[in-house]
Every structure is written in structure tokens, then in C-alpha cells.
Amino acid sequence: MFEIEGHLECRHGHLFIGGADCVEIAEEFGTPLYVTHEQRIRDNLRTIKKAFPNAELLYAVKANGNLAIMRIIAQEGAGADVFSSGELYMALLAGFPKDKILFNGNSKSDEDLRRAVESGVMVSVDSVMELESLSTIAGDREVRIAFRVNPDVSPQTHPKIATGLRTSKFGIPSEQIVNAYERAVELPGVVPVGIHFHIGSQILSVSPFAEALEKVLGIAKELLNMGIKLEFVDMGSGLGIPYEKDKKAPTPQELADAVLPVFEEWCKENGVYPKLVLEPGRYVVGDSTVLLTRVNSVKGKFVAVDAGFNLLIRPVMYDAYHHVVVANKADVPPDKTYMIVGPICESGDILAKDRRLPKIEKGDVIAVLDAGAYGFAMSSQYNGQPRCAEILVQNGRAELIRRRETFSDLIHTQTIPERLL
Ligand code: LLP
């Protein structure tokens, strides 16, 4: 049976999250439903802060852009990594201070750059062409920038989420980076204050981080010799979490043990002490959330539920594993091997393959675990499915933080040209 861990527990046969009964919540708010435990987010952030006491944390908004969730993260003192003007808009609304926001992105429009300049946030510049545009747009204002370096390091993760390989679209190749900084020094309006890299996501070994950091510190040393003294080194993120309950993922402390000696040694050697910046997304919110989905019917091994890849695309997109628990039978031993499939009109709409679970019946509530990162954030309305609601739980209390969409939300941005009426 599933080993209940951390903030999830089994009480009188039901799965509880943050002291709240998943079965009751599903009854009260309906399914499908994302349920997030506030304290788990706070604890995850504190775990990272404990391992990296001197680092600045910029939460990767792309992982989960719910305002209440971002508010909790801002309250814990983190800043934000935003990847679009939309994320910038949401991060500012959630209360992240502008001097703790870094605007990332490999394809920023002039409009994006204008918004960054007007909001007074920092920009991680992804090409020299972008630098030139930013300088023009900044005019007589000053924008603090970093360059994103492509360190050409293999993160040993799913190819779709490896971002620091030479073949990847992100960042400036190492051999061109010094020229980029030289150009930034010449240009008005842009002040190079940092260097940035990000090698991928769901990385299960700490050595690629140390390897990439070492490479980037080599560049920072060259810059130092040219008289460019950086205020921060941003090592992005990518720390994996243990989706598979019998496997381990490195902890923030293990990551710190691998990278801090490299960083501290470099600082001492060079007599400069830039700030280390991290951009955690998945680790902060991933395990804070369950997706509750109700069984519509059982047909042999197929368990058809009311959530599919419209609400959680990770299993389909990355062959990702998400552990599932039958929330109303959390202490019942497994009986059969099932496939949990969604309501979407595609054979690939499978949330969980070959799972040993208790005998499943219509009306059972299935909890898909670790759905807080890139879950709702990547959801869609495909097949005319309104997006589901989101609930926040703390000390057994459940509050609505996003209402369920209605059918009118499916069409409210559309118009039929008059000539067709
Ligand atoms: N910083 C940058 C520049 C990033 O591109 C990302 C993620 C992060 C930080 C946060 O990384 P994390 O701590 O979450 O690993 N949709 C995929 C993951 C895509 C990650 C994209 N970049 C998934 O569901 O696995």
C-alpha cells in the first residue's frame, strides 16, 4: 500500500491533505479539483532556504501561477522568475517586489521589453540582438541585466525539459558570452549585474549543477579580469522531486553540498562575493498539491475518470509518473492492475498506467499526487472541458482560490462575424 508521507496521511480510510479530508473536499467543491496545502509550500521554501541560507530565491512562476499560491511564496520572502509579460503581470499582482523579479525568456518582443523597463524589473537577456533592442527601449532609464549562458551541460533528464545543451534554444553559447558583456558595457540603458543559466528540470543528480556552475564561474572570472564585477550568479533551477515513491531525488541540502563549496571557493579565490540566486519552481509547489478526480466508469482494466490531459498533461507529454491513491479507500490493499484514463477523445489520454489499486467502483475519488507544478499551469480547455477549480487547505480548512470555469468561459473571448449570423 502507499506509504503516506509528510503532509499527506490516511485517517479512517480516507486520504487527508493538510488536515482536510480529500473525500469531503471532493464532495463539497466537486471534481475534478486541484487541492493545495499551504503549509507544504512554506515548508518546501524553508527547506531550500535552510540549505542555501545566503541565496536569493526567485520562484519560477511558470510552475504554478495561482495568485494565492504566489502570495504565500512572496510572504516567505522569495522573488519571482517570470517568463512572459503575463507572468510579470501576475507576479506583480501577487505582491512580489519588483527589484526581486527577473524577466527571463528566449523570445521577448519589444512590447515585453517595454513592460520590463516600465515595471523596473531585471532582465535576463538571451541574445545580443535582444540586448540592442533593450538598450534602445530603455532610453535614458537604466535596466539591470544578466545574460543567460548556454553552458552545454547534459542534465540527464527528459529531452523536452533539458535546456542547457548546445543544441537547445536557450542562452548564449559560452564562447560568445564575453563579447555580449563587452557590448552591454558600451551600450546605454543596460547595466550588466548578473550571469544566469538553467540546465533543465526534474534533474535527479546533483553533478550536472556543479559542472555547469563551474563553467559559468569560469566565465565570471574572465569578466572580472575585464573589470566587470557581477552582483549575482543565477544558477536557475531544475531540482527533481520523487514522483516515484520507491525512488529518491536529491534534497536541497544535497544540492547545496555539491554546489556551495564550488561557489564559495571561487569567491574566496577571487576576493569577490556575488549573491547566489536560485529559481526553484517544481520543488516549491510540486508535492503541495493533489488533483482529485472522480470515477465515471470501470471497464475491465480501464478506470475512466473526470480529469485527463486537459488538466494534467505531464504523463502524456513527458511520460511522467504521478502516484495515484484511491482517496476513499486509502487503507484498502491493492486488488487489481488498472489504467486510469481521462475523458479526452485521444487514446493517449492516460493519467496512470498499470497501477495496483484496491477494487475500484463508480464514484470513487482518485487523488493524483505531486500535481502542484506544471499541472493546472499547463491545463487547457481541449474537448470543451472547462478548467477545474483550485482549493487551498491549511489546518484542515479549505478555501476556494480559483472558481471552476463554466461553459460560458469556453466561449467568452469569441465572436461570430456579423455576416455569418
Ligand atoms: N528557471 C528557468 C529559466 C526555467 O526555464 C525553469 C523551468 C525554472 C527556473 C524552474 O525549474 P524547476 O525548478 O521547476 O525544475 N513542464 C515541464 C517542466 C518545464 C520546466 C521549464 N523551465 C514539466 O512538467 O516537467
Side-chain angles (χ1 to χ4, degrees):
M1 206 190 57
F2 169 61
E3 287 263 314
I4 306 280
E5 30 110 288
H7 63 127
L8 298 174
E9 50 182 341
C10 174
R11 289 194 210 159
H12 48 81
H14 286 188
L15 179 72
F16 274 61
I17 178 169
D21 185 337
C22 288
V23 181
E24 273 176 23
I25 298 177
E27 200 59 52
E28 185 180 347
F29 296 95
T31 58
L33 190 68
Y34 273 100
V35 184
T36 296
H37 182 202
E38 173 176 340
Q39 193 58 42
R40 187 63 174 186
I41 294 175
R42 295 190 186 278
D43 290 347
N44 287 343
L45 275 163
R46 291 172 195 176
T47 303
I48 306 176
K49 269 194 268 180
K50 192 161 173 245
F52 292 90
N54 300 317
E56 179 91 71
L57 306 186
L58 304 181
Y59 167 65
V61 169
K62 60 182 82 66
N64 189 323
N66 180 286
L67 284 181
I69 289 172
M70 289 196 287
R71 182 85 200 127
I72 292 162
I73 295 167
Q75 278 181 356
E76 290 292 319
D81 141 35
V82 299
F83 215 80
S84 66
S85 292
E87 286 187 359
L88 173 60
Y89 168 77
M90 297 192 294
L92 287 168
L93 267 183
F96 288 106
K98 65 177 172 24
D99 58 333
K100 283 194 183 179
I101 297 180
L102 179 66
F103 197 133
N104 280 311
N106 68 300
S107 177
K108 304 183 195 79
S109 65
D110 285 356
E111 188 50 37
D112 291 327
L113 297 176
R114 206 163 292 123
R115 281 177 200 274
V117 171
E118 274 158 19
S119 311
V121 300
M122 294 176 288
V123 178
S124 173
V125 175
D126 201 83
S127 68
V128 174
M129 194 177 281
E130 183 189 323
L131 177 76
E132 305 275 348
S133 307
L134 183 59
S135 166
T136 309
I137 288 165
D140 49 16
R141 288 165 292 201
E142 276 198 345
V143 186
R144 291 159 55 77
I145 66 154
F147 281 105
R148 174 141 174 195
V149 189
N150 181 325
D152 192 21
V153 167
S154 169
Q156 299 145 24
T157 186
H158 192 283
K160 283 191 185 141
I161 46 176
T163 53
L165 288 166
R166 180 165 293 275
T167 48
S168 137
K169 69 174 180 178
F170 300 102
I172 300 174
S174 313
E175 64 279 6
Q176 293 166 25
I177 199 81
V178 169
N179 288 344
Y181 277 92
E182 277 174 339
R183 186 70 186 130
V185 170
E186 282 167 18
L187 285 172
V190 284
V191 189
V193 292
I195 191 158
H196 175 216
F197 67 95
H198 172 77
I199 56 172
S201 198
Q202 187 52 19
I203 300 169
L204 294 173
S205 141
V206 293
S207 55
F209 293 101
E211 189 191 332
L213 180 62
E214 233 165 305
K215 281 194 180 178
V216 171
L217 289 174
I219 297 168
K221 168 126 194 161
E222 271 183 72
L223 296 174
L224 203 53
N225 294 340
M226 291 159 50
I228 302 173
K229 201 168 149 185
L230 298 178
E231 291 174 28
F232 68 86
V233 175
D234 179 346
M235 56 177 283
S237 178
L239 190 61
I241 62 169
Y243 287 102
E244 290 174 68
K245 299 305 164 199
D246 54 349
K247 294 205 181 125
K248 276 206 165 346
T251 60
Q253 190 57 53
E254 282 161 348
L255 177 62
D257 292 343
V259 299
L260 287 185
V262 175
F263 186 65
E264 282 159 8
E265 181 66 19
W266 183 91
C267 292
K268 232 193 278 160
E269 223 174 83
N270 294 286
V272 286
Y273 296 86
K275 203 156 190 74
L276 189 65
V277 175
L278 297 171
E279 300 175 344
R282 190 187 310 271
Y283 188 87
V284 178
V285 288
D287 71 0
S288 72
T289 301
V290 296
L291 170 60
L292 300 182
T293 177
R294 204 176 280 280
V295 176
N296 280 329
S297 60
V298 184
K299 184 173 60 186
K301 66 175 180 175
F302 292 109
V303 175
V305 297
D306 59 10
F309 76 69
N310 53 316
L311 290 178
L312 184 66
I313 204 169
R314 303 195 67 260
V316 174
M317 193 142 171
Y318 315 109
D319 291 318
Y321 178 97
H322 280 263
H323 203 76
V324 297
V325 177
V326 185
N328 54 314
K329 296 174 179 168
D331 60 353
V332 178
D335 169 73
K336 245 180 109 167
T337 303
Y338 290 109
M339 298 265 269
I340 314 293
V341 300
I344 301 302
C345 181
E346 298 204 22
S347 305
D349 184 27
I350 298 166
L351 285 177
K353 278 186 191 136
D354 302 331
R355 301 301 169 85
R356 297 282 303 157
L357 294 169
K359 184 172 185 319
I360 294 184
E361 292 151 299
K362 181 181 170 80
D364 283 348
V365 176
I366 308 251
V368 183
L369 306 194
D370 305 316
Y374 312 106
F376 192 98
M378 295 178 80
S379 64
S380 75
Q381 295 177 329
Y382 184 43
N383 263 194
Q385 295 279 357
R387 288 188 187 81
C388 69
E390 290 182 290
I391 300 296
L392 188 68
V393 294
Q394 181 76 328
N395 301 322
R397 183 159 164 236
E399 292 164 293
L400 188 71
I401 54 170
R402 188 191 305 259
R403 70 159 171 83
R404 185 176 304 284
E405 287 181 352
T406 61
F407 294 140
S408 75
D409 290 312
L410 296 176
I411 48 106
H412 77 261
T413 53
Q414 306 180 40
T415 44
I416 302 177
E418 212 149 288
R419 66 184 176 79
L420 296 178
L421 294 176

